[in-house]
Amino acid sequence: MKKSMLLGGLTLTATLLLAGCGKSDDVLVVGTNAAFPPFEYVGGQSGDEIKGFDIDLAKQIAKDAGKTLKVENMKFDSLIVALNSGKIDFIASGMTITAERQANVNFSEPYYEATQVVLVNKDNKDNKDNNSINTLEDIKGKHFAVQLGTTADIMSKKYTQNITAFNTGFEAIMELKNSKVDLVLFDSEPAANYLAKNPELKMIKLDFPAEFYGFAVSKEQPELLASINKTLANMKADGQYQTLVSAHIK
């Protein structure tokens, strides 16, 4: 998960510059965790290209800044550390804007609204053959699987102390499918994506609060933050943003 992956548009010259002396002035480095479809995931014809809604937004951000985009794929819980150590320029990884994170980084204007949902096995029933989970009360004390460092990881502690955290959502889903946990707490769109590929699971929507994703930038880079916000505003105004929503989020 720590290895770097270059998008097809990265030229050989830029690659050599990066290899020889760290970040180049004409390259914008975005950090992500490419296990969060449809926002970021590994795919493409080569099978190792990082794609997704966030990545397409990041490409436009780099283009507007007159730079080439380089994508660094890493563990989600290491992204903010990498940002503040200067290894990456910004984070595009379905990252929810929270007060705790805002203490360490600045966020762009919100670009997507999400919520948490619960995934369970389809045979999850009570003794009357009804769903055993219908309210937030019903998840208290259950064994949760979550992705490490995510909002779900943080939120789950309100409901249970029995939590198993994984580096990726995929690993959490596998733990559920193997009946080693009671449920997975996950963001709604990635949950729907995994559900489509795992018909033995089902989604339960509960009364969780709305969340808003933002791009994270070092507090020492106000110019980059302003540039990102300008790109987002322009994309929403000219229809590019909605086109990407339609292409990635069903």
Side-chain angles (χ1 to χ4, degrees):
M1 292 294 292
K2 289 186 177 180
K3 75 173 183 178
S4 302
M5 297 181 182
L6 301 180
L7 295 180
L10 187 58
T11 64
L12 178 60
T13 301
T15 303
L16 293 172
L17 283 170
L18 284 167
C21 57
K23 291 192 298 183
S24 169
D25 288 343
D26 60 358
V27 174
L28 197 62
V29 184
V30 62
T32 194
N33 174 246
F36 198 66
F39 295 93
E40 37 272 327
Y41 57 92
V42 179
Q45 291 184 348
S46 63
D48 61 0
E49 181 183 355
I50 301 178
K51 301 169 68 67
F53 179 66
D54 285 349
I55 303 306
D56 282 348
L57 290 175
K59 287 178 180 178
Q60 189 62 47
I61 288 167
K63 181 179 179 181
D64 289 351
K67 298 188 177 185
T68 299
L69 185 71
K70 179 177 185 284
V71 183
E72 290 281 2
N73 188 15
M74 58 186 68
K75 293 179 180 179
F76 185 85
D77 64 334
S78 69
L79 286 168
I80 288 179
V81 173
L83 178 68
N84 285 331
S85 66
K87 293 180 180 178
I88 57 177
D89 294 309
F90 70 109
I91 298 169
S93 196
M95 184 170 280
T96 300
I97 301 169
T98 68
E100 292 79 7
R101 288 169 177 158
Q102 285 176 312
N104 297 297
V105 300
N106 286 332
F107 278 99
S108 68
E109 292 296 319
Y111 67 87
Y112 192 79
E113 180 178 343
T115 188
Q116 296 294 312
V117 295
V118 169
L119 289 177
V120 297
N121 286 303
K122 275 189 175 178
D123 60 2
N124 185 275
K125 304 283 186 179
D126 62 17
N127 57 10
K128 295 182 180 180
D129 204 33
N130 297 315
N131 288 334
S132 65
I133 297 174
N134 298 287
T135 69
L136 292 175
E137 267 312 297
D138 295 333
I139 65 175
K140 289 184 176 179
K142 292 191 178 296
H143 190 175
F144 286 39
V146 298
Q147 184 177 0
L148 187 65
T150 62
T151 310
D153 186 11
I154 298 166
M155 184 183 294
S156 62
K157 296 174 178 64
K158 297 179 182 179
Y159 302 100
T160 186
Q161 296 303 309
N162 195 5
I163 303 163
T164 304
F166 297 91
N167 286 323
T168 66
F170 174 78
E171 293 171 287
I173 296 294
M174 291 304 298
E175 194 80 345
L176 175 63
K177 290 175 66 174
N178 291 329
S179 299
K180 293 183 178 180
V181 295
D182 297 317
L183 61 91
V184 174
L185 189 62
F186 210 35
D187 290 45
S188 51
E189 292 301 334
N193 190 280
Y194 281 116
L195 190 65
K197 300 175 182 177
N198 296 276
E200 66 272 39
L201 304 180
K202 63 181 177 181
M203 180 191 298
I204 301 173
K205 296 181 180 180
L206 301 177
D207 192 23
F208 292 111
E211 302 175 9
F212 298 91
Y213 296 164
F215 295 117
V217 181
S218 166
K219 290 182 179 289
E220 298 178 358
Q221 297 292 334
E223 298 86 359
L224 177 57
L225 182 65
S227 177
I228 290 172
N229 283 332
K230 183 177 180 181
T231 292
L232 290 174
N234 289 342
M235 293 183 75
K236 289 179 179 180
D238 65 15
Q240 288 187 74
Y241 174 86
Q242 189 55 49
T243 297
L244 290 180
V245 169
S246 299
H248 289 286
I249 302 170
K250 309 303 182 184

